[in-house]
Amino acid sequence: MSVLRLAVPTPLRRYFDYLPPAGMTPSRLAGLEPGSRFTVPFGNRELTGWLVEIAGSSELAGDALRPAVALLDEHSLLPENLLALCEWAIHYYHHAPGEVFAAAFPARLRQGKPHRPAGESAWRLSERGQGLPAGGLPRAPRQAQALAMLQAEPSVSQQRLADAGVTNSVLRELANKGLAERCHLAPTPRRPHSRQAMALNAEQSAVMRALDDIGGRCSSHLLEGVTGSGKTEIYLQLIDCCLQRGQQALVLIPEIGLTPQTLSRFRARFDAEIAVLHSGLTDAERERAWELARTGVAHIVIGTRSAVFTPLDATGLIIVDEEHDLSYKQQDGFRYSARDVAVKRAQIEGCPVLLGSATPSLESLHNALSGRYHHHRLRERAGRASMPAISVIDIRRQELEAGLSAPLLEAVEQCGEQGEQVLLFLNRRGFAPTLQCHDCGWIAQCNACDARLTVHRRRRQLRCHHCGAAAALPPRCPDCGGDALLTAGLGTEQTEAFLQQRFPDRNVLRVDSDTMQGREAMAELIEQLQQGEPTILLGTQMLTKGHHFPGIALVAVIDADGMLFSSDFRGEERLAQLLTQVAGRAGRAEMPGRVLLQTHYPDHPAMLSMVEEPYGDRARALLRERVAAALPPAGQLLMIRSDCPDATTGEQFLAQLRGKLERALPAGCRCVGPLPSPMQRRAGRFRFQLLVSAPDRRSAQVAARRIAGAAEAIPARRGLNWSLDVDPQEVV
């Protein structure tokens, strides 16, 4: 008996056995490849499954096995190396196999639709049509025009025919007469070319020489370079070498907002096919880019987190830009780290991987300092740019207007007089985080979360930034009927309104998820800034992720204290990274830059370190503290989370799980919890967490396997969801 062992997209952490589809011959069955798609029955639904192996037997009795409905692919759409990567991810993250395989496919193929090769729909002459003389069909001018175009070339794309005025009805008439037929026009491969590269300084040249010595061999690298040090130029020259070897390059970026600027630089440098993959594209656009990458037509693939699973025909280089960024960690469903998957993929593919950042994560820094990664440093900014001067504004006992102190407003005024651009950073969108009744004390709370509703005055709304709930801004207090409704706290919308009033002759641009709507929003913003007009740029964390704004002379952090205190042991690392990245937007061209930090705690160690020492020195000190405390990267963490509509069920589940694990975990592992999540109720569900620490990776993997097995053995409870997070990045 031949059994199809398939990965089916369900939350269950196992494979499923099926019989071959009815009528499938043994020879056809023997030719199947792992990764081929099947349509299979699952309960009362039909799902897409991926072939893992053809087994000779099953644990289920033969009469209990159901046949697959249909084979969708005669050959696997994934190369062997990517199948191996999926298998590794299944075992490392202890996640459901079907959901891991699904991550490697575009939506349409996950839904079981037929595979469409890259290229365009086209038309050509049929065998009968090829026998017509030139100038045929004189009584049907439009058909004669189409016929002439098809006689001139072997095939013509439908788009070209449409551009020439040939409609679909005309083509159908030719098809009905047996003169023309549809065909597929595959993309024409072209040889990539690189335009003139920029001259490198001494530090960049030393890094390139070190990387040239590695060539295209398997190796892992950390490029630690201060903001504006020219890391992107290193990327471009490495990609040029990769393309000259006839291979493809995969470049990961943390946010969609970085795509326009990155793509612009790459297109300016390379005459090559560049495929882009991110969530802002339509399903059809993503599938086309995926297919161009898979078939090798695309020379360079640029994408966000999920692009790490994109199949390539000849992988030659993987780059992870801003490798420290939290966006590389998937926070729900299949909880993987794209950075770590990229490193593993490079090992499997046998190619180099380069992780780049001005503020490398302590995990990557630890790997570099311990010799697991090759370590390269850029300590100076490229060109004639210099690092900005950083100073602290003590706002204690100062009068603030929309969060802005008098010294900061004076600095903004001076920049305007000198025709310079300013960036003000406030990591809180909306008008104000709280709406309160001054008469009775009522506060606007989210009905589904343990959170307050944020005031969005321009939209006249109260919105929850956790579950997305929205309500109209009330004219009166819903409790006492009073009209003394006051806002408390600060948001970008409030500060924007003040700046527009205070500086009416200046262009004030707000950059947050409320204003950056649409795929072209960030590109339009960058184009506007490049015109060089005096501008005040006010925004959230969206502005910190590697953007190059050469006209910014002053950067100010309006509320540095909002990031100062954290329950997460990574809090100080995140703060240092964020402040360094924000500061790095200043003085990136020839003009000198300044950075101002507004704080009530000017003597706090984190504030002092920002002024007195570079990020690299502070990161090394934090790393020593982590090692002493046996915290990641010196140890490893696992997080088991539960959520349930009932307030106690999730906690009871985790308590029962901990009881099963007390004697089952490897030596050196210990449990903490279960404890409520810092925001216990979110979107109407109560959340709890159980933390397991392990002394090393091997122990953590054994523990994760036992945790998953013990959790699945506990009888299911209605409405309860649980998840296992390997290497959690937010322990809150």
Side-chain angles (χ1 to χ4, degrees):
M1 180 175 66
S2 295
V3 176
L4 304 176
R5 190 144 294 150
L6 304 177
V8 181
T10 75
L12 299 175
R13 290 166 169 77
R14 64 183 184 86
Y15 298 107
F16 294 87
D17 291 348
Y18 288 88
L19 295 174
M24 178 170 280
T25 63
S27 60
R28 190 180 179 199
L29 183 65
L32 293 180
E33 302 170 344
S36 295
R37 295 179 302 146
F38 282 84
T39 301
V40 297
F42 196 89
N44 57 3
R45 299 176 294 164
E46 288 189 354
L47 300 177
T48 302
W50 290 270
L51 180 65
V52 176
E53 64 173 336
I54 299 176
S57 62
S58 174
E59 294 180 358
L60 298 175
D63 56 0
L65 293 177
R66 302 170 71 181
V69 176
L71 171 66
L72 298 174
D73 307 313
E74 291 289 344
H75 301 285
S76 173
L77 298 178
L78 298 184
E80 289 185 12
N81 287 338
L82 202 60
L83 290 172
L85 182 68
C86 290
E87 288 287 350
W88 172 84
I90 289 166
H91 295 295
Y92 183 80
Y93 291 106
H94 299 271
H95 196 73
E99 294 185 353
V100 175
F101 272 90
F105 284 83
R108 190 174 162 277
L109 297 181
R110 292 198 299 267
Q111 296 163 3
K113 302 293 177 59
H115 168 244
R116 295 185 300 202
E120 300 178 83
S121 177
W123 287 81
R124 65 187 177 194
L125 293 175
S126 65
E127 187 175 346
R128 180 184 176 189
Q130 293 173 10
L132 282 181
L137 305 178
R139 297 184 179 180
R142 283 296 184 187
Q143 293 181 34
Q145 176 194 2
L147 186 65
M149 292 180 68
L150 297 177
Q151 287 174 331
E153 298 180 46
S155 58
V156 182
S157 73
Q158 186 150 352
Q159 185 60 53
R160 276 186 55 205
L161 289 164
D163 292 343
V166 178
T167 63
N168 287 335
S169 61
V170 170
L171 294 168
R172 282 196 298 270
E173 285 295 326
L174 289 177
N176 292 336
K177 293 177 180 179
L179 301 177
E181 59 189 13
R182 288 184 180 273
C183 63
H184 180 80
L185 192 61
T188 304
R190 58 190 177 113
R191 185 177 179 83
H193 297 282
S194 173
R195 301 182 178 93
Q196 183 66 39
M198 294 176 60
L200 301 179
N201 61 27
E203 282 191 329
Q204 290 172 311
S205 298
V207 170
M208 279 302 300
R209 285 195 298 272
L211 290 166
D212 282 343
D213 290 342
I214 303 298
R217 301 191 303 275
C218 175
S219 52
S220 300
H221 304 261
L222 174 64
L223 177 58
E224 180 184 2
V226 300
T227 54
S229 58
K231 294 184 291 296
T232 303
E233 183 61 30
I234 298 289
Y235 302 160
L236 293 170
Q237 297 203 17
L238 287 174
I239 290 171
D240 188 17
C241 296
C242 173
L243 300 186
Q244 290 180 23
R245 296 193 299 267
Q247 296 175 309
Q248 296 166 282
L250 172 63
V251 181
L252 299 183
I253 55 177
E255 292 283 354
I256 297 174
L258 280 173
T259 307
Q261 202 165 1
T262 304
L263 194 57
S264 175
R265 288 200 65 176
F266 277 59
R267 284 180 171 160
R269 175 63 65 86
F270 297 108
D271 178 15
E273 187 72 45
I274 302 176
V276 178
L277 287 154
H278 58 69
S279 59
L281 304 175
T282 65
D283 287 347
E285 289 171 330
R286 285 175 64 88
E287 184 180 2
R288 181 178 183 277
W290 183 88
E291 183 66 13
L292 291 175
R294 188 187 74 86
T295 55
V297 175
H299 307 107
I300 304 169
V301 178
I302 302 173
T304 49
R305 180 177 59 228
S306 61
V308 73
F309 288 104
T310 302
L312 300 176
D313 183 58
T315 311
L317 174 66
I318 300 174
I319 293 172
V320 184
D321 191 25
E322 306 292 345
E323 65 84 25
H324 68 278
D325 200 285
L326 189 59
S327 300
Y328 284 123
K329 175 69 173 182
Q330 176 73 28
Q331 299 292 357
D332 54 21
F334 173 27
R335 298 171 184 263
Y336 65 93
S337 163
R339 177 197 64 205
D340 297 346
V341 173
V343 173
K344 185 62 182 181
R345 178 169 185 173
Q347 292 175 3
I348 293 173
E349 302 264 18
C351 72
V353 58
L354 177 64
L355 313 180
S357 177
T359 55
S361 64
L362 296 194
E363 285 80 3
S364 294
L365 188 60
H366 180 65
N367 283 330
L369 296 178
S370 62
R372 294 188 186 93
Y373 295 169
H374 299 272
H375 194 193
H376 315 278
R377 299 191 70 180
L378 298 173
R379 295 176 173 85
E380 302 292 335
R381 284 191 156 182
R384 287 181 283 181
S386 58
M387 295 300 293
I390 302 176
S391 56
V392 168
I393 299 177
D394 183 356
I395 58 175
R396 291 174 295 183
R397 295 180 295 277
Q398 285 202 41
E399 183 178 347
L400 303 178
E401 298 182 84
L404 307 174
S405 64
L408 175 53
L409 288 171
E410 183 181 349
V412 173
E413 182 72 50
Q414 290 175 354
C415 285
E417 293 172 353
Q418 296 170 11
E420 297 169 339
Q421 296 176 344
V422 175
L423 188 156
L424 302 179
F425 175 73
L426 178 61
N427 206 24
R428 195 180 301 119
R429 63 190 175 97
F431 185 87
T434 302
L435 180 68
Q436 184 173 19
C437 177
H438 190 55
D439 292 339
C440 71
W442 169 85
I443 294 177
Q445 298 275 0
C446 178
N447 293 327
C449 304
D450 292 335
R452 296 177 178 180
L453 295 172
T454 300
V455 178
H456 287 255
R457 181 170 287 182
R458 187 166 295 179
R459 297 186 180 184
R460 305 293 300 170
Q461 277 187 338
L462 292 171
R463 298 175 65 187
C464 178
H465 290 175
H466 301 281
C467 71
L473 197 62
R476 295 181 177 276
C477 173
D479 272 10
C480 71
D483 58 3
L485 293 177
L486 305 177
T487 59
L490 190 65
T492 52
E493 191 178 320
Q494 182 181 158
T495 304
E496 176 196 27
F498 170 78
L499 290 169
Q500 289 172 338
Q501 184 179 9
R502 177 64 182 266
F503 303 104
D505 58 338
R506 302 277 291 279
N507 193 18
V508 178
L509 302 176
R510 175 161 60 96
V511 181
D512 55 31
S513 56
D514 294 328
T515 60
M516 293 290 103
Q517 300 289 329
R519 69 175 69 180
E520 301 299 329
M522 186 59 75
E524 292 169 359
L525 171 73
I526 293 170
E527 183 178 351
Q528 192 170 354
L529 287 174
Q530 288 177 345
Q531 294 175 5
E533 296 295 325
T535 301
I536 301 174
L537 194 60
L538 169 69
T540 60
Q541 198 165 336
M542 293 180 71
L543 288 174
T544 70
K545 310 213 174 193
H547 292 292
H548 179 65
F549 301 135
I552 299 291
L554 171 67
V555 166
V557 179
I558 295 174
D559 181 21
D561 300 344
M563 303 171 285
L564 210 52
F565 305 104
S566 172
S567 59
D568 194 330
F569 71 89
R570 288 189 175 91
E572 193 169 348
E573 176 192 0
R574 300 268 189 249
L575 172 63
Q577 289 170 339
L578 185 57
L579 291 181
T580 302
Q581 290 287 343
V582 173
R585 301 314 106 199
R588 294 174 68 91
E590 294 183 7
M591 69 175 69
R594 296 172 59 201
V595 178
L596 301 176
L597 308 177
Q598 288 195 153
T599 178
H600 288 93
Y601 306 95
D603 299 323
H604 191 284
M607 292 300 166
L608 293 174
S609 70
M610 277 298 300
V611 176
E612 297 173 358
E613 60 183 348
Y615 172 83
D617 293 347
R618 185 61 189 148
R620 284 156 176 78
L622 290 173
L623 183 57
R624 290 191 291 271
E625 294 174 10
R626 293 270 191 91
V627 172
L631 286 170
Q636 193 169 11
L637 296 179
L638 307 169
M639 178 77 81
I640 307 97
R641 296 182 173 91
S642 70
D643 65 83
C644 188
D646 179 79
T648 60
T649 300
E651 184 178 19
Q652 291 172 353
F653 167 80
L654 292 180
Q656 187 176 354
L657 176 61
R658 175 170 181 163
K660 288 177 171 287
L661 295 174
E662 288 290 359
R663 297 183 180 179
L665 294 178
C669 295
R670 59 191 181 92
C671 296
V672 178
L675 297 169
S677 297
M679 181 182 291
Q680 184 178 2
R681 189 171 60 110
R682 182 174 181 178
R685 300 180 71 85
F686 291 86
R687 307 185 303 156
F688 291 86
Q689 56 194 36
L690 177 64
L691 187 66
V692 176
S693 63
D696 52 57
R697 192 171 299 276
R698 178 170 296 182
S699 299
Q701 282 296 301
V702 173
R705 185 167 58 251
R706 293 176 183 174
I707 289 168
E712 290 183 329
I714 297 175
R717 306 188 188 190
R718 186 174 181 82
L720 172 69
N721 293 327
W722 66 270
S723 64
L724 171 61
D725 190 355
V726 178
D727 304 326
Q729 292 299 299
E730 290 185 299
V731 187
V732 295

